[in-house]
Amino acid sequence: MRPRILQSDGQIGFRWATPDGRPSTLQALVIDDDEADRLVATHLAALDDALIIAAERFGDLLGGGRRPADHGEREGLLELHRVLDRLCHEFALALELTGIGADVRAGQIIGTAALFSIRARLPLDLLGPAPFDGELDDPVVGMVGGFGEMVQVDPDRPWAGGRWIVRTESGRRYPLTLSTLLFDSSGTNKDAARQEHRDALRSVTAAAESPAADPFAVASALDWLLYDFLMAHREGPDSAAIVLAKGQEPDAELIVTAAAASVVARAAFDPGLVGLASRS
């Protein structure tokens, strides 16, 4: 007998159970399992299937085509983000406990799940403010001349993160995204931009462990940086599927780690995630 997945018709996501049917988690099951890699692979495949079902059910809401029409749709989005957050968290802990590395496929599926979670929380007003929210100049129509740079909110609070900004010669500061730098800008060192964004994500993830770190600030910073990174790695402009090239295992590891760190930070103040700590 092997551990198995529990999922009923119409259920969002899934849960694990022991061979005798007791509810469990992936991280609890892999500790003493001789084939932990099979459990991890099964979890990832089931999460991929759950994302396909979620896209069919919530696609227009996640894509911003409309806002939730009633209480039922709001509750559905709330359940969706909490389930996906839990499943991403379980996966990350299982990798940490077993020493299994995140391959490209894992980065793509966890990245898509994290993007779904962020998009599900957006119409529910459950996202914190983006870095420098309300402090930047309003974007203008047309081409903007200036220099793109990753700017920290506060060097003394590295867990507060940062974002890309266009600084013009006149001193104006406009919001910028990694996607714009990579696909709609001239004179950009794209490899350097990607690396600077990776470094910013790693910095916030590491600083989140500080006792002085504010969980809300950490969650806001991670969600924004991760969202910006994921939006720049979609299959296409109308797709939420994340695509990583062969050999981008370090990016896969970064996505898995950052997504889990966001969950842990939000578990400090989101009642639906309470109990999802670093080792739970």
Side-chain angles (χ1 to χ4, degrees):
M1 293 284 289
R2 297 284 296 155
R4 64 183 188 273
I5 282 176
L6 302 177
Q7 185 173 22
S8 58
D9 291 342
Q11 178 183 341
I12 299 175
F14 59 90
R15 288 188 177 275
W16 280 95
T18 60
D20 59 1
R22 291 179 290 110
S24 187
T25 62
L26 179 63
Q27 64 266 32
L29 293 171
V30 298
I31 295 176
D32 298 316
D33 197 284
D34 294 334
E35 297 179 297
D37 57 327
R38 288 182 57 193
L39 296 180
V40 169
T42 298
H43 185 96
L44 196 62
L47 177 55
D48 194 23
D49 290 341
L51 292 172
I52 294 172
I53 296 171
E56 293 174 350
R57 179 174 171 183
F58 299 104
D60 54 344
L61 294 171
L62 297 175
R66 64 180 180 88
R67 293 185 63 83
D70 52 36
H71 178 72
E73 288 191 338
R74 292 182 64 85
E75 287 297 305
L77 287 177
L78 189 65
E79 182 183 1
L80 176 65
H81 101 71
R82 287 174 173 170
V83 167
L84 294 181
D85 286 341
R86 174 178 57 79
L87 294 174
C88 288
H89 179 260
E90 288 189 22
F91 184 80
L93 281 187
L95 294 193
E96 183 180 345
L97 290 170
T98 60
I100 297 173
D103 58 15
V104 165
R105 182 169 181 266
Q108 292 177 160
I109 294 174
I110 296 297
T112 302
L115 185 57
F116 273 33
S117 170
I118 292 171
R119 295 298 305 183
R121 285 180 277 138
L122 180 60
L124 301 178
D125 299 321
L126 293 178
L127 289 177
F132 302 107
D133 188 36
E135 299 179 31
L136 302 178
D137 294 296
D138 293 331
V140 297
V141 178
M143 297 293 292
V144 175
F147 302 92
E149 56 183 346
M150 173 65 73
V151 182
Q152 277 188 290
V153 171
D154 183 351
D156 293 329
R157 295 187 300 127
W159 57 83
R163 68 170 296 162
W164 290 103
I165 288 174
V166 173
R167 192 184 302 274
T168 69
E169 292 184 359
S170 66
R172 290 187 177 277
R173 300 193 307 167
Y174 295 112
L176 180 63
T177 65
L178 182 61
S179 292
T180 301
L181 275 172
L182 298 183
F183 305 116
D184 297 312
S185 299
S186 60
T188 299
N189 185 327
K190 298 180 180 181
D191 289 340
R194 286 191 180 94
Q195 188 57 50
E196 198 165 353
H197 201 105
R198 294 183 188 108
D199 291 343
L201 261 173
R202 292 191 179 100
S203 175
V204 176
T205 302
E209 301 293 331
S210 169
D214 172 52
F216 184 74
V218 169
S220 299
L222 282 174
D223 284 343
W224 175 258
L225 285 167
L226 185 58
Y227 179 73
D228 196 16
F229 189 79
L230 294 173
M231 289 294 284
H233 289 81
R234 290 180 298 158
E235 187 174 38
D238 298 320
S239 174
I242 303 305
V243 175
L244 300 177
K246 182 179 180 180
Q248 285 187 291
E249 284 80 9
D251 282 350
E253 293 276 4
L254 178 60
I255 289 170
V256 171
T257 301
S262 169
V263 176
V264 171
R266 285 182 283 118
F269 55 83
D270 184 337
L273 299 177
V274 168
L276 296 185
S278 297
R279 294 286 179 180
S280 66

CSV table of all heavy atoms in Angstrom, one decimal, residues 135-174:
chain,number,residue,atom,x,y,z
A,135,GLU,N,4.1,56.7,-5.0
A,135,GLU,CA,5.3,57.6,-4.9
A,135,GLU,C,5.8,57.9,-6.3
A,135,GLU,O,6.7,58.8,-6.5
A,135,GLU,CB,6.4,57.0,-4.1
A,135,GLU,CG,6.0,56.8,-2.6
A,135,GLU,CD,7.1,56.1,-1.8
A,135,GLU,OE1,8.3,56.4,-2.1
A,135,GLU,OE2,6.8,55.4,-0.9
A,136,LEU,N,5.4,57.1,-7.3
A,136,LEU,CA,6.0,57.3,-8.7
A,136,LEU,C,5.1,58.2,-9.5
A,136,LEU,O,3.9,58.3,-9.3
A,136,LEU,CB,6.1,55.9,-9.3
A,136,LEU,CG,7.0,54.9,-8.6
A,136,LEU,CD1,7.0,53.6,-9.3
A,136,LEU,CD2,8.4,55.4,-8.4
A,137,ASP,N,5.7,58.7,-10.6
A,137,ASP,CA,4.9,59.6,-11.5
A,137,ASP,C,4.0,58.7,-12.4
A,137,ASP,O,4.3,57.5,-12.6
A,137,ASP,CB,5.9,60.4,-12.4
A,137,ASP,CG,6.7,61.4,-11.6
A,137,ASP,OD1,6.1,62.3,-11.1
A,137,ASP,OD2,7.9,61.2,-11.5
A,138,ASP,N,2.9,59.3,-12.8
A,138,ASP,CA,2.0,58.5,-13.6
A,138,ASP,C,2.6,58.2,-15.0
A,138,ASP,O,3.2,59.1,-15.6
A,138,ASP,CB,0.7,59.3,-13.8
A,138,ASP,CG,-0.1,59.5,-12.5
A,138,ASP,OD1,0.0,58.6,-11.7
A,138,ASP,OD2,-0.8,60.5,-12.4
A,139,PRO,N,2.4,57.0,-15.5
A,139,PRO,CA,3.0,56.6,-16.8
A,139,PRO,C,2.5,57.5,-17.9
A,139,PRO,O,1.3,58.0,-17.8
A,139,PRO,CB,2.6,55.2,-17.0
A,139,PRO,CG,2.2,54.7,-15.6
A,139,PRO,CD,1.7,55.9,-14.8
A,140,VAL,N,3.3,57.8,-18.9
A,140,VAL,CA,2.9,58.6,-20.0
A,140,VAL,C,2.7,57.7,-21.2
A,140,VAL,O,3.2,56.6,-21.3
A,140,VAL,CB,3.9,59.7,-20.3
A,140,VAL,CG1,4.0,60.7,-19.2
A,140,VAL,CG2,5.2,59.1,-20.6
A,141,VAL,N,1.9,58.1,-22.2
A,141,VAL,CA,1.7,57.4,-23.4
A,141,VAL,C,2.9,57.6,-24.4
A,141,VAL,O,3.4,58.8,-24.5
A,141,VAL,CB,0.4,57.8,-24.1
A,141,VAL,CG1,0.2,57.1,-25.5
A,141,VAL,CG2,-0.8,57.6,-23.2
A,142,GLY,N,3.4,56.5,-25.0
A,142,GLY,CA,4.5,56.7,-25.9
A,142,GLY,C,5.8,56.3,-25.3
A,142,GLY,O,5.9,55.7,-24.2
A,143,MET,N,6.9,56.5,-26.1
A,143,MET,CA,8.2,56.1,-25.7
A,143,MET,C,8.7,57.1,-24.5
A,143,MET,O,8.4,58.3,-24.6
A,143,MET,CB,9.2,56.2,-26.8
A,143,MET,CG,8.8,55.3,-28.0
A,143,MET,SD,9.1,53.5,-27.5
A,143,MET,CE,10.9,53.5,-27.3
A,144,VAL,N,9.4,56.5,-23.6
A,144,VAL,CA,10.0,57.3,-22.5
A,144,VAL,C,11.5,57.1,-22.5
A,144,VAL,O,12.0,55.9,-22.5
A,144,VAL,CB,9.4,56.8,-21.1
A,144,VAL,CG1,10.1,57.6,-20.0
A,144,VAL,CG2,7.9,57.1,-21.1
A,145,GLY,N,12.2,58.1,-22.5
A,145,GLY,CA,13.7,58.1,-22.5
A,145,GLY,C,14.2,58.1,-21.0
A,145,GLY,O,13.7,58.9,-20.2
A,146,GLY,N,15.1,57.2,-20.7
A,146,GLY,CA,15.6,57.2,-19.3
A,146,GLY,C,16.4,56.0,-19.0
A,146,GLY,O,16.7,55.2,-19.9
A,147,PHE,N,16.7,55.8,-17.8
A,147,PHE,CA,17.5,54.6,-17.4
A,147,PHE,C,16.7,53.7,-16.4
A,147,PHE,O,16.1,54.2,-15.4
A,147,PHE,CB,18.8,55.1,-16.7
A,147,PHE,CG,19.6,56.0,-17.5
A,147,PHE,CD1,19.4,57.4,-17.5
A,147,PHE,CD2,20.5,55.5,-18.4
A,147,PHE,CE1,20.2,58.3,-18.3
A,147,PHE,CE2,21.3,56.3,-19.2
A,147,PHE,CZ,21.1,57.7,-19.1
A,148,GLY,N,16.6,52.5,-16.8
A,148,GLY,CA,15.9,51.5,-15.9
A,148,GLY,C,16.8,51.0,-14.8
A,148,GLY,O,18.0,50.7,-15.1
A,149,GLU,N,16.3,51.0,-13.6
A,149,GLU,CA,17.1,50.5,-12.5
A,149,GLU,C,16.2,49.8,-11.4
A,149,GLU,O,15.1,50.2,-11.3
A,149,GLU,CB,17.9,51.6,-11.8
A,149,GLU,CG,17.0,52.8,-11.4
A,149,GLU,CD,17.8,53.9,-10.8
A,149,GLU,OE1,19.0,53.8,-10.5
A,149,GLU,OE2,17.2,55.0,-10.6
A,150,MET,N,16.8,48.8,-10.8
A,150,MET,CA,16.1,48.1,-9.7
A,150,MET,C,16.4,49.0,-8.4
A,150,MET,O,17.6,49.1,-8.1
A,150,MET,CB,16.6,46.7,-9.5
A,150,MET,CG,16.1,46.0,-8.3
A,150,MET,SD,14.4,45.7,-8.2
A,150,MET,CE,14.2,44.4,-9.4
A,151,VAL,N,15.4,49.5,-7.8
A,151,VAL,CA,15.6,50.4,-6.6
A,151,VAL,C,15.0,49.7,-5.4
A,151,VAL,O,13.8,49.3,-5.4
A,151,VAL,CB,14.9,51.7,-6.9
A,151,VAL,CG1,15.1,52.6,-5.7
A,151,VAL,CG2,15.4,52.3,-8.2
A,152,GLN,N,15.8,49.7,-4.3
A,152,GLN,CA,15.3,49.1,-3.1
A,152,GLN,C,14.4,50.2,-2.4
A,152,GLN,O,14.7,51.4,-2.4
A,152,GLN,CB,16.5,48.8,-2.1
A,152,GLN,CG,17.1,47.5,-2.4
A,152,GLN,CD,18.2,47.2,-1.3
A,152,GLN,OE1,19.2,47.9,-1.2
A,152,GLN,NE2,17.8,46.3,-0.4
A,153,VAL,N,13.4,49.7,-1.7
A,153,VAL,CA,12.5,50.5,-0.9
A,153,VAL,C,13.3,51.2,0.2
A,153,VAL,O,13.2,52.4,0.5
A,153,VAL,CB,11.3,49.8,-0.3
A,153,VAL,CG1,10.6,50.6,0.7
A,153,VAL,CG2,10.4,49.3,-1.5
A,154,ASP,N,14.1,50.4,0.9
A,154,ASP,CA,14.9,50.9,2.1
A,154,ASP,C,16.1,49.9,2.3
A,154,ASP,O,15.8,48.8,2.7
A,154,ASP,CB,14.0,50.9,3.3
A,154,ASP,CG,14.7,51.5,4.5
A,154,ASP,OD1,16.0,51.7,4.5
A,154,ASP,OD2,14.1,51.8,5.5
A,155,PRO,N,17.3,50.3,2.1
A,155,PRO,CA,18.4,49.4,2.3
A,155,PRO,C,18.5,48.9,3.7
A,155,PRO,O,19.1,47.8,3.9
A,155,PRO,CB,19.6,50.3,1.9
A,155,PRO,CG,19.1,51.4,1.0
A,155,PRO,CD,17.7,51.6,1.5
A,156,ASP,N,18.0,49.6,4.6
A,156,ASP,CA,18.0,49.2,6.0
A,156,ASP,C,16.9,48.1,6.3
A,156,ASP,O,16.9,47.6,7.4
A,156,ASP,CB,17.9,50.4,7.0
A,156,ASP,CG,19.1,51.3,6.9
A,156,ASP,OD1,20.2,50.8,6.7
A,156,ASP,OD2,18.9,52.5,7.1
A,157,ARG,N,16.0,48.0,5.4
A,157,ARG,CA,15.0,47.0,5.5
A,157,ARG,C,14.9,46.1,4.3
A,157,ARG,O,14.0,46.2,3.4
A,157,ARG,CB,13.6,47.6,5.8
A,157,ARG,CG,13.5,48.4,7.1
A,157,ARG,CD,12.1,48.9,7.3
A,157,ARG,NE,11.6,49.8,6.2
A,157,ARG,CZ,10.5,49.6,5.6
A,157,ARG,NH1,9.7,48.5,5.8
A,157,ARG,NH2,10.1,50.4,4.6
A,158,PRO,N,15.9,45.2,4.1
A,158,PRO,CA,16.0,44.5,2.8
A,158,PRO,C,14.8,43.6,2.5
A,158,PRO,O,14.5,43.3,1.4
A,158,PRO,CB,17.3,43.6,3.0
A,158,PRO,CG,17.5,43.6,4.5
A,158,PRO,CD,17.0,44.9,5.0
A,159,TRP,N,14.0,43.3,3.6
A,159,TRP,CA,12.8,42.5,3.4
A,159,TRP,C,11.7,43.3,2.7
A,159,TRP,O,10.7,42.7,2.3
A,159,TRP,CB,12.3,41.9,4.7
A,159,TRP,CG,12.0,43.0,5.7
A,159,TRP,CD1,10.9,43.7,5.9
A,159,TRP,CD2,13.0,43.4,6.8
A,159,TRP,NE1,11.1,44.6,6.9
A,159,TRP,CE2,12.3,44.4,7.5
A,159,TRP,CE3,14.2,43.0,7.1
A,159,TRP,CZ2,12.9,45.1,8.6
A,159,TRP,CZ3,14.8,43.7,8.2
A,159,TRP,CH2,14.2,44.7,8.9
A,160,ALA,N,11.8,44.6,2.6
A,160,ALA,CA,10.8,45.4,2.0
A,160,ALA,C,10.9,45.4,0.5
A,160,ALA,O,10.0,45.9,-0.2
A,160,ALA,CB,10.9,46.8,2.5
A,161,GLY,N,12.0,44.8,-0.1
A,161,GLY,CA,12.1,44.6,-1.5
A,161,GLY,C,12.4,45.8,-2.3
A,161,GLY,O,12.9,46.8,-1.8
A,162,GLY,N,12.0,45.8,-3.6
A,162,GLY,CA,12.2,46.9,-4.5
A,162,GLY,C,11.5,46.6,-5.8
A,162,GLY,O,10.7,45.6,-5.9
A,163,ARG,N,11.7,47.5,-6.8
A,163,ARG,CA,11.1,47.3,-8.1
A,163,ARG,C,11.9,48.0,-9.2
A,163,ARG,O,12.7,48.9,-8.9
A,163,ARG,CB,9.6,47.8,-8.1
A,163,ARG,CG,9.5,49.3,-7.9
A,163,ARG,CD,8.1,49.7,-8.1
A,163,ARG,NE,7.6,49.5,-9.5
A,163,ARG,CZ,6.3,49.4,-9.8
A,163,ARG,NH1,5.4,49.6,-9.0
A,163,ARG,NH2,6.0,49.2,-11.1
A,164,TRP,N,11.5,47.7,-10.4
A,164,TRP,CA,12.1,48.4,-11.5
A,164,TRP,C,11.5,49.8,-11.7
A,164,TRP,O,10.3,49.9,-11.6
A,164,TRP,CB,12.0,47.6,-12.8
A,164,TRP,CG,12.8,46.3,-12.8
A,164,TRP,CD1,12.4,45.1,-12.6
A,164,TRP,CD2,14.2,46.3,-13.1
A,164,TRP,NE1,13.4,44.2,-12.7
A,164,TRP,CE2,14.6,44.9,-13.0
A,164,TRP,CE3,15.2,47.2,-13.4
A,164,TRP,CZ2,15.9,44.5,-13.2
A,164,TRP,CZ3,16.5,46.8,-13.5
A,164,TRP,CH2,16.8,45.4,-13.5
A,165,ILE,N,12.3,50.8,-12.0
A,165,ILE,CA,11.9,52.1,-12.2
A,165,ILE,C,12.6,52.8,-13.3
A,165,ILE,O,13.8,52.5,-13.5
A,165,ILE,CB,12.1,53.0,-10.9
A,165,ILE,CG1,11.2,52.6,-9.8
A,165,ILE,CG2,12.0,54.5,-11.2
A,165,ILE,CD1,11.4,53.2,-8.4
A,166,VAL,N,11.9,53.5,-14.1
A,166,VAL,CA,12.6,54.4,-15.2
A,166,VAL,C,12.9,55.7,-14.6
A,166,VAL,O,12.0,56.4,-14.1
A,166,VAL,CB,11.7,54.5,-16.4
A,166,VAL,CG1,12.4,55.5,-17.4
A,166,VAL,CG2,11.5,53.2,-17.1
A,167,ARG,N,14.1,56.1,-14.6
A,167,ARG,CA,14.5,57.4,-14.1
A,167,ARG,C,14.9,58.3,-15.3
A,167,ARG,O,15.8,58.0,-16.0
A,167,ARG,CB,15.7,57.4,-13.1
A,167,ARG,CG,15.9,58.7,-12.3
A,167,ARG,CD,17.2,58.5,-11.5
A,167,ARG,NE,17.1,57.4,-10.5
A,167,ARG,CZ,16.5,57.5,-9.3
A,167,ARG,NH1,15.9,58.7,-9.0
A,167,ARG,NH2,16.4,56.5,-8.5
A,168,THR,N,14.1,59.4,-15.5
A,168,THR,CA,14.4,60.2,-16.7
A,168,THR,C,15.4,61.3,-16.3
A,168,THR,O,15.7,61.6,-15.1
A,168,THR,CB,13.1,60.9,-17.2
A,168,THR,OG1,12.7,61.8,-16.2
A,168,THR,CG2,12.0,59.9,-17.4
A,169,GLU,N,16.0,62.0,-17.3
A,169,GLU,CA,16.9,63.0,-17.1
A,169,GLU,C,16.3,64.2,-16.4
A,169,GLU,O,17.0,65.0,-15.7
A,169,GLU,CB,17.5,63.5,-18.5
A,169,GLU,CG,18.4,62.4,-19.1
A,169,GLU,CD,19.0,62.9,-20.4
A,169,GLU,OE1,18.8,64.1,-20.8
A,169,GLU,OE2,19.8,62.2,-21.0
A,170,SER,N,15.0,64.4,-16.5
A,170,SER,CA,14.3,65.5,-15.8
A,170,SER,C,14.1,65.1,-14.3
A,170,SER,O,13.6,66.0,-13.6
A,170,SER,CB,13.0,65.8,-16.5
A,170,SER,OG,12.1,64.7,-16.4
A,171,GLY,N,14.4,63.9,-13.9
A,171,GLY,CA,14.2,63.5,-12.5
A,171,GLY,C,12.9,62.8,-12.3
A,171,GLY,O,12.7,62.3,-11.1
A,172,ARG,N,12.0,62.6,-13.3
A,172,ARG,CA,10.8,61.9,-13.1
A,172,ARG,C,11.1,60.4,-12.9
A,172,ARG,O,12.1,59.9,-13.5
A,172,ARG,CB,9.8,62.1,-14.2
A,172,ARG,CG,9.2,63.5,-14.2
A,172,ARG,CD,8.2,63.6,-15.3
A,172,ARG,NE,7.5,64.9,-15.3
A,172,ARG,CZ,6.6,65.3,-14.5
A,172,ARG,NH1,6.1,64.4,-13.6
A,172,ARG,NH2,6.1,66.5,-14.5
A,173,ARG,N,10.3,59.7,-12.1
A,173,ARG,CA,10.4,58.3,-11.9
A,173,ARG,C,9.1,57.6,-12.3
A,173,ARG,O,8.1,57.9,-11.8
A,173,ARG,CB,10.8,58.0,-10.5
A,173,ARG,CG,12.0,58.6,-10.0
A,173,ARG,CD,12.5,58.0,-8.7
A,173,ARG,NE,11.4,58.1,-7.7
A,173,ARG,CZ,11.5,57.4,-6.5
A,173,ARG,NH1,12.5,56.6,-6.2
A,173,ARG,NH2,10.5,57.5,-5.6
A,174,TYR,N,9.2,56.7,-13.3
A,174,TYR,CA,8.0,56.0,-13.8
A,174,TYR,C,8.2,54.5,-13.5
A,174,TYR,O,9.3,53.9,-13.4
A,174,TYR,CB,7.9,56.1,-15.3
A,174,TYR,CG,7.7,57.5,-15.8
A,174,TYR,CD1,8.6,58.2,-16.5
A,174,TYR,CD2,6.5,58.2,-15.5
A,174,TYR,CE1,8.4,59.5,-17.0
A,174,TYR,CE2,6.2,59.5,-16.0
A,174,TYR,CZ,7.2,60.1,-16.7
A,174,TYR,OH,7.0,61.4,-17.2
